[in-house]
């Protein structure tokens, strides 16, 4: 029922910027957190950024602090990752992720299909 769709990936030169967007079907008020992960083909998927829906607090991995910003838009049922001063090491497939409360005190995880970010040297 819940579908996440990423957009905004592409090719940029080092030092450039991109804005990734994750659209969620339906209202996003129920969701607990909004997160971005990334994965290079030869590497493990890693955490990038998170936004707590209720509190508005954010968390970032050290390598992107000061360069990336996560935000949400309730009216558009989406959340974004603004990426500035991109570096070649930022090249990866970026995935958006959210958690939805469910029955039995469970959290359901939803992932987008991923969007490719390529940063040239």
């Amino acid at each position: 029922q819940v579908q996440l769709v990423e957009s905004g990936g592409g090719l940029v030169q080092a030092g450039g910027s991109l804005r990734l967007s994750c659209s969620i079907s339906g209202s996003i008020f129920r969701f607990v957190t909004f997160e971005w992960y990334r994965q290079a083909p030869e590497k493990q998927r890693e955490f990038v950024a998170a936004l707590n829906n209720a509190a508005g607090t954010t968390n970032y991995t050290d390598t992107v602090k000061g360069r990336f910003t996560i935000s949400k838009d309730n009216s558009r049922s989406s959340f974004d990752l603004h990426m500035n001063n991109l570096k070649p090491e930022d090249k990866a497939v970026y995935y958006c992720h959210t958690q939805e409360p469910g029955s039995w005190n469970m959290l359901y995880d939803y992932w987008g299909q991923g969007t490719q970010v390529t940063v040239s040297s």
Side-chain angles (χ1 to χ4, degrees), residues 2-55:
V2 177
Q3 183 178 7
L4 279 63
V5 179
E6 299 100 339
S7 62
L11 172 64
V12 297
Q13 294 182 345
S17 300
L18 281 175
R19 187 192 72 183
L20 306 182
S21 182
C22 182
S23 297
I24 305 175
S25 59
S27 175
I28 66 173
F29 290 102
R30 180 173 175 83
F31 296 100
V32 178
T33 59
F34 305 114
E35 299 174 316
W36 288 94
Y37 289 76
R38 65 187 181 186
Q39 185 173 20
E42 72 283 0
K43 295 183 178 180
Q44 183 178 351
R45 185 173 299 186
E46 66 173 342
F47 168 81
V48 176
L51 170 65
N52 183 278
N53 195 9

Side-chain angles (χ1 to χ4, degrees), residues 6-113:
E6 299 100 339
S7 62
L11 172 64
V12 297
Q13 294 182 345
S17 300
L18 281 175
R19 187 192 72 183
L20 306 182
S21 182
C22 182
S23 297
I24 305 175
S25 59
S27 175
I28 66 173
F29 290 102
R30 180 173 175 83
F31 296 100
V32 178
T33 59
F34 305 114
E35 299 174 316
W36 288 94
Y37 289 76
R38 65 187 181 186
Q39 185 173 20
E42 72 283 0
K43 295 183 178 180
Q44 183 178 351
R45 185 173 299 186
E46 66 173 342
F47 168 81
V48 176
L51 170 65
N52 183 278
N53 195 9
T57 54
T58 59
N59 187 34
Y60 302 91
T61 189
D62 288 340
T63 56
V64 308
K65 286 182 178 178
R67 299 189 298 118
F68 291 10
T69 303
I70 186 172
S71 61
K72 68 173 183 177
D73 190 331
N74 292 336
S75 64
R76 294 185 175 91
S77 295
S78 65
F79 61 99
D80 297 342
L81 183 68
H82 297 262
M83 304 183 295
N84 301 122
N85 192 23
L86 284 162
K87 303 176 180 180
E89 50 264 43
D90 295 319
K91 179 182 178 181
V93 177
Y94 284 71
Y95 299 89
C96 59
H97 170 259
T98 190
Q99 294 177 309
E100 179 189 33
S103 60
W104 294 80
N105 199 31
M106 295 179 62
L107 290 175
Y108 295 94
D109 294 293
Y110 299 98
W111 292 90
Q113 295 179 339

